[in-house]
Amino acid sequence: MRAELTGGLLRDWQQRNRDATIPHVIAELRKAGNLDNLQRLADPSIGPYRGRYPFLDTDLYKTLEGLAYEADRSAGAREFFEEVVGLLEQAQADDGYLNSYFQDPDQPKQPWSDLGWGHELYNLGHLIQAAIAANRRLSDGRLLTIATRFADLVVRRFGVDGEEVVDGHPEVEMALVELYRETGNADYLTQAQLFVDRRGQGKLKHTIFPGEYFQDHVPFRELPSVTGHAVRMAYLAAGATDVYLETGDQTLLTALERLWDDMVATKLYLTGGLGSRHSDEAIGDRYELPSERAYTETCAAIATMQWAWRMFLATGKASYLDVYETVLYNAYAVGLSVDGTAFFYDNPLQRRPDHEQRSGAEDGGEPLRRAWFGCPCCPPNIVRWMSELQDHLAVARDNILYVGVYADARISTADLTVSVRTAYPWDGEIAVTVEESTAAEQAIALRIPSWAVGARLDGQPVEAGWAVVRKQFAIGDVLRLTLPMAPRAHGSHPYLDATRGAIAVARGPLVYCVEQQDVEVPVDDLLLTARAVSAAIARQQDDLLVLELTGGVAPAPANELYPVITEQTRESAIGEVPVTLVPYFRWGNRQALAMRVWLRTERDN
């Protein structure tokens, strides 16, 4: 099956990726010394290894994966691709090993000496994914040759008869499964399965953080909940799902469904963000979801989408794509500035008026989005995922075309070609037109999101899940889907202390927020009601749909930090004020002022 974005917001994002983000990332990688680190392996006079981390090669690999899609459509992309591939060919050791940090003769650490923090297998995972993308999209097998040589070394060293180890940062698991799919070599699938099964059995030397941080305190199938470092957790789960997809190991799927359900019910932000702790970039306890301290790393958003997509493939359930879509339009999209050259590493749901937003533990820098980071994992990750958005629109299976993510697109299978026309996510009208079809009976399944109450397909009501039309399609047939997009007010679970009694606003798949620029009173003094949200008006503003409504103004707060509450205490507005809400993914592109997703609500008792 092939899909191509032909218009709309997602295509605009891809064009921005080509025009701005890719050239910016290439320039920053050059400036940061990522290429120098490879070059100095042949010419030590270039200078010492640059960067504080031993896994910076991955940022080249993630970028190369994106360039496999955009090499001939983005300025300087092809030249950069060729240069990096040449350096990798030159740098790879005779046994297949490749890592510019550990191969550096000036480094005291030896290869494989620090699997907890060295990330050598994590590096390999991203190299494999870049190699497969280049082989499929560019018919260029050079990276695949490099990657398979390294993977073969890993199989020899850590395979069935080798050392029983795991990497401190999961990622290689899903890459090895994909390498098996690409090459047919079952050793790679076996190795992925081994890495999943070994985790939690004391195979990893822990330093700084305990085993829970690495998802290594109990075997994967026994994890009681998603836990530890958020990116690691979601990458591991995505890899385990891939292993299930190829082996049919039901014990894995049972664990995966349990972990997913618990995450969605207790640990996922309204935006789809995952991870509530800055100290260790971790997920936190159930219902530990503070807004202003939300970490929700951009890489964790991408990892969550990878897991969601695979769970959809494993089960066919549309609910996984509901979460995928929420992450896509909110927790992922917010990580990139409107001009495509500045980034959020962490993605809070609130900015206080006196807060200086920083990224992780780094000092200094711009007060909001930044051009680059000391650990720049997120920008190249954005590049590769943005280039692959069309690969996550639809799936053809069992003579059914499942259209799961809506955008202007052309989707083709062996027997059916359709065009999708829509202004989604701003509008819920979707037209699917058959352009080519065989004579055989076929089916088209359209996802009905859980929020789309009152959805209709060709005028008939349809429920959340999949709406399936099965018939002998003729050229020119049109399916017309209407997804109502009334603004809605969200509350939160009573155990979620940080937002108890507050209201958040969403419309369609988009979460909205208020920035101080768009309301006359301090955002902390703004009161909303569900009734006001239901009466909100969607209005075009530049390239966005904003929501306009009337909010209440809270009385001046007591000077006491912890005033006494009596039966007469009420949260009632003393006035009204117009409010404009903007999509959460667009906050932080103006002056650095206060912002809130969750707003105080006027109470009746």
Side-chain angles (χ1 to χ4, degrees):
M1 193 206 78
R2 288 189 61 86
E4 176 188 7
L5 290 167
T6 57
L9 182 63
L10 297 189
R11 185 174 180 273
D12 290 344
W13 286 357
Q14 283 197 332
Q15 193 62 51
R16 179 184 59 186
N17 195 42
R18 295 165 190 150
D19 295 344
T21 310
I22 287 175
H24 174 82
V25 167
I26 288 174
E28 291 292 337
L29 288 169
R30 290 190 184 279
K31 186 165 62 175
N34 292 63
L35 276 70
D36 292 343
N37 290 338
L38 290 169
Q39 289 172 329
R40 76 176 308 274
L41 297 181
D43 183 5
S45 68
I46 290 176
Y49 180 90
R50 294 175 61 188
R52 71 178 74 166
Y53 300 109
F55 47 81
L56 297 177
D57 291 351
T58 57
D59 300 316
L60 291 173
Y61 300 152
K62 285 179 281 190
T63 303
L64 291 182
E65 183 179 345
L67 297 191
Y69 289 77
E70 308 291 1
D72 296 319
R73 296 189 286 188
S74 181
R78 172 64 75 169
E79 293 80 4
F80 185 80
F81 182 90
E82 293 295 333
E83 181 178 359
V84 175
V85 171
L87 289 172
L88 294 173
E89 289 178 322
Q90 176 181 281
Q92 189 167 32
D94 291 341
D95 65 355
Y97 185 84
L98 182 58
N99 183 292
S100 66
Y101 177 87
F102 287 101
Q103 287 177 268
D104 190 325
D106 294 336
Q107 294 297 337
K109 291 184 177 181
Q110 298 300 308
W112 312 120
S113 64
D114 185 11
L115 283 172
W117 292 105
H119 290 50
E120 288 146 288
L121 296 174
Y122 169 80
N123 272 25
L124 171 61
H126 282 299
L127 172 61
I128 289 171
Q129 289 169 329
I132 292 171
N135 197 51
R136 291 175 180 173
R137 302 291 299 194
L138 299 175
S139 298
D140 187 334
R142 290 174 296 166
L143 273 178
L144 190 61
T145 298
I146 296 170
T148 52
R149 288 185 62 209
F150 196 177
D152 289 342
L153 170 65
V154 168
V155 170
R156 292 194 301 272
R157 188 179 182 98
F158 306 124
V160 175
D161 299 318
E163 299 176 52
E164 295 186 1
V165 302
V166 293
D167 194 87
H169 199 308
E171 206 280 341
V172 73
E173 295 83 359
M174 54 179 156
L176 284 168
V177 175
E178 200 63 31
L179 187 59
Y180 156 70
R181 293 168 179 156
E182 188 73 4
T183 65
N185 185 341
D187 289 343
Y188 303 138
L189 174 60
T190 299
Q191 191 65 55
Q193 191 170 10
L194 286 172
F195 284 146
V196 171
D197 291 343
R198 286 172 182 167
R199 193 164 294 272
Q201 298 185 17
K203 309 297 184 183
L204 182 67
K205 180 182 179 181
H206 302 148
T207 58
I208 305 178
F209 295 116
E212 183 179 13
Y213 171 88
F214 301 95
Q215 297 81 42
D216 194 44
H217 56 304
V218 296
F220 179 80
R221 293 166 180 79
E222 299 174 19
L223 281 174
S225 178
V226 291
T227 189
H229 187 270
V231 182
R232 284 170 166 85
M233 180 69 244
Y235 277 163
L236 175 61
T241 311
D242 270 333
V243 170
Y244 163 75
L245 285 166
E246 296 302 328
T247 65
D249 183 344
Q250 189 63 40
T251 64
L252 271 180
L253 182 60
T254 298
L256 287 161
E257 290 181 316
R258 173 175 49 79
L259 290 169
W260 177 274
D261 291 345
D262 182 67
M263 176 185 73
V264 172
T266 69
K267 295 189 174 184
L268 205 63
Y269 280 90
L270 180 68
T271 59
L274 181 65
S276 58
R277 295 182 180 176
H278 281 244
S279 61
D280 49 0
E281 299 183 319
I283 293 170
D285 300 330
R286 291 183 176 94
Y287 306 108
E288 181 188 342
L289 296 167
S291 290
E292 69 271 55
R293 292 296 293 167
Y295 198 69
T296 63
E297 183 184 339
T298 301
C299 283
I302 294 170
T304 303
M305 284 189 286
Q306 289 180 311
W307 185 17
W309 186 259
R310 286 161 172 78
M311 289 300 288
F312 156 59
L313 294 178
T315 67
K317 294 179 181 178
S319 59
Y320 293 108
L321 295 186
D322 287 356
V323 175
Y324 172 95
E325 182 178 69
T326 296
V327 180
L328 172 65
Y329 285 114
N330 299 286
Y332 167 70
V334 73
L336 182 61
S337 65
V338 69
D339 68 0
T341 63
F343 308 88
F344 282 146
Y345 191 107
D346 50 307
N347 298 287
L349 279 70
Q350 178 180 344
R351 186 182 191 274
R352 294 188 178 275
D354 60 344
H355 182 62
E356 290 188 352
Q357 175 68 28
R358 304 299 186 200
S359 174
E362 297 180 55
D363 295 327
E366 298 83 355
L368 279 175
R369 300 176 186 273
R370 303 185 64 180
W372 206 245
F373 306 95
C375 178
C377 52
C378 297
N381 223 357
I382 287 174
V383 163
R384 68 165 181 148
W385 196 255
M386 200 70 78
S387 72
E388 298 169 9
L389 292 179
Q390 69 284 335
D391 293 348
H392 301 91
L393 299 178
V395 165
R397 176 183 292 173
D398 300 328
N399 210 32
I400 302 175
L401 174 61
Y402 293 88
V403 182
V405 177
Y406 298 115
D408 275 7
R410 192 169 190 266
I411 303 169
S412 298
T413 71
D415 302 311
L416 187 67
T417 296
V418 301
S419 63
V420 182
R421 295 291 178 267
T422 180
Y424 198 86
W426 313 116
D427 186 88
E429 298 294 331
I430 300 154
V432 180
T433 303
V434 176
E435 294 186 350
E436 299 176 13
S437 177
T438 64
E441 182 182 82
Q442 299 175 75
I444 298 175
L446 304 180
R447 182 178 63 90
I448 312 302
S450 58
W451 49 258
V453 178
R456 303 182 78 85
L457 177 58
D458 291 337
Q460 299 301 311
V462 286
E463 301 296 327
W466 294 108
V468 182
V469 177
R470 186 181 299 276
K471 58 182 286 188
Q472 184 174 330
F473 288 101
I475 295 173
D477 283 350
V478 181
L479 303 181
R480 299 190 185 278
L481 177 64
T482 299
L483 302 177
M485 286 195 169
R488 59 189 187 274
H490 285 270
S492 57
H493 193 282
Y495 294 175
L496 208 169
D497 300 83
T499 54
R500 184 185 296 126
I503 280 180
V505 181
R507 180 180 181 273
L510 299 175
V511 174
Y512 278 72
C513 68
V514 61
E515 290 189 89
Q516 188 60 70
Q517 291 93 330
D518 299 318
V519 63
E520 298 172 1
V521 300
V523 295
D524 290 343
D525 294 337
L526 184 63
L527 299 176
L528 288 189
T529 64
R531 179 176 296 179
V533 173
S534 65
I537 297 173
R539 179 178 62 82
Q540 190 76 33
Q541 180 177 291
D542 299 324
D543 59 337
L544 301 174
L545 272 184
V546 300
L547 296 179
E548 294 182 338
L549 50 78
T550 299
V553 181
N559 290 328
E560 299 174 72
L561 188 58
Y562 304 108
V564 174
I565 299 297
T566 68
E567 291 183 6
Q568 287 73 39
T569 302
R570 298 181 61 182
E571 185 84 326
S572 300
I574 61 172
E576 294 184 340
V577 64
V579 182
T580 299
L581 302 176
V582 299
Y584 169 73
F585 78 79
R586 282 291 287 270
W587 94 271
N589 283 282
R590 299 178 284 180
Q591 183 182 0
L593 298 177
M595 179 277 293
R596 275 180 176 266
V597 168
W598 289 96
L599 295 150
R600 293 164 65 183
T601 182
E602 186 174 350
R603 295 196 296 266
D604 295 326
N605 51 38

